[in-house]
Amino acid sequence: MGRSAAFFDLDKTVIAKSSALAFGRPFYRDGLITRRDVVKSAYAQLMFRLGGTDEQTMARTRDYLAALCKGWQVEQVRQIVAETLHELINPYVYAEAAALIEEHQAAGRDVVLVSASGDEMVRPIGALLGVTDVIATRMGVVDGRYSGEVEFYAAGPSKVEAVSELAAERGYDLADSYAYSDSYSDRPLLECVGHPSVVNPDRQLRRLAVENSWPVLEFRHPIPLGRRLRERPAVPVAAAALGVGVGVAIGIAWYGRHRRTRVTPTPA
């Protein structure tokens, strides 16, 4: 028997809303995006979630992301994330998800965030939760700027490829490992482990969970991390059991597009 791990999707699984929509409010408020951009963001998120396992849908989303990011300074994106993380993400972390992550860690399992969102966002979110291992979308970088190429797009079957590679490297026994997601697009991820659970699942995923007798969890308590630690006994994870990015990267993309003109180029 090898070691076991727990793999968590991000949006609607660990945090309570779409990251793209979470970022949309301050973007619109500060005049960084238009009302049309807000609608476009919501529509893009919906389309991915409804048809995320379709190769054409994933390819269009990947190419759109690459085109938006081309030429941006990587350090600029990291700065944006650092400035907004605690305001926009911390209040929306599900207390149940954070407690479940801690339960897996206490049991000696490695916890891995697996998200289609950009590594520059997912890794800091992981740090908030005490998670150091992430599988996320990685953009190509040349001379400190995004090249317009996607080195790895962490969606659909590609998530499973990365999970399998990590399992081989670390000696994880996937048959004894766990996975959590809210979206049908993560069906391959859920099916590659021995203990899949769905969290706040979409309709297709709920039906799949019922067919396969997978546990269905309902997370309902987004609480800022500091408050959650003070009130930990009030939110038992077991009470939530009944039986499941692109978004963040798009949010970063729109923010970066409008912030780019305000960044002073580094002298040659």
Side-chain angles (χ1 to χ4, degrees), residues 12-224:
K12 304 292 183 69
T13 303
V14 173
I15 61 176
K17 59 169 60 178
S18 159
S19 302
L21 300 184
F23 279 88
R25 186 183 67 237
F27 296 167
Y28 178 70
R29 180 188 62 208
D30 295 344
L32 300 178
I33 60 175
T34 66
R35 190 180 300 273
R36 179 182 179 185
D37 290 328
V38 175
V39 174
K40 187 176 181 180
S41 173
Y43 180 76
Q45 178 78 1
L46 176 62
M47 289 300 98
F48 179 80
R49 297 183 68 79
L50 291 179
T53 55
D54 177 79
E55 289 187 8
Q56 291 185 342
T57 300
M58 288 192 291
R60 285 196 300 268
T61 305
R62 179 199 63 211
D63 294 344
Y64 175 59
L65 171 63
L68 282 174
C69 291
K70 185 175 182 179
W72 297 350
Q73 295 181 21
V74 176
E75 191 56 39
Q76 172 197 351
V77 173
R78 290 176 178 158
Q79 179 184 344
I80 293 168
V81 172
E83 291 174 352
T84 58
L85 183 68
H86 286 275
E87 174 190 355
L88 300 178
I89 299 299
N90 187 29
Y92 302 114
V93 174
Y94 280 122
E96 298 94 334
L100 185 56
I101 286 171
E102 291 179 356
E103 287 183 10
H104 280 296
Q105 291 172 328
R109 299 184 190 94
D110 289 346
V111 173
V112 184
L113 289 183
V114 187
S115 174
S117 301
D119 185 89
E120 292 81 1
M121 173 59 78
V122 179
R123 200 165 295 277
I125 292 175
L128 277 178
L129 299 163
V131 175
T132 57
D133 293 318
V134 305
I135 293 171
T137 294
R138 298 189 305 272
M139 307 298 295
V141 177
V142 176
D143 296 330
R145 295 178 181 271
Y146 294 116
S147 66
E149 301 293 329
V150 179
E151 290 186 350
F152 174 71
Y153 185 45
S158 294
K159 284 188 176 183
V160 177
E161 293 175 9
V163 165
S164 298
E165 290 176 4
L166 185 63
E169 176 186 327
R170 300 275 184 86
Y172 296 146
D173 179 4
L174 290 180
D176 194 35
S177 292
Y178 296 73
Y180 301 87
S181 179
D182 71 302
S183 175
Y184 187 79
S185 65
D186 278 334
R187 176 176 181 171
L189 172 65
L190 294 165
E191 291 180 334
C192 84
V193 300
H195 303 284
S197 294
V198 301
V199 178
N200 303 337
D202 58 35
R203 184 175 301 177
Q204 282 183 290
L205 185 58
R206 186 179 294 273
R207 182 163 50 246
L208 181 68
V210 170
E211 292 172 356
N212 289 277
S213 299
W214 293 346
V216 177
L217 308 179
E218 301 290 346
F219 291 173
R220 297 293 185 235
H221 300 91
I223 299 176

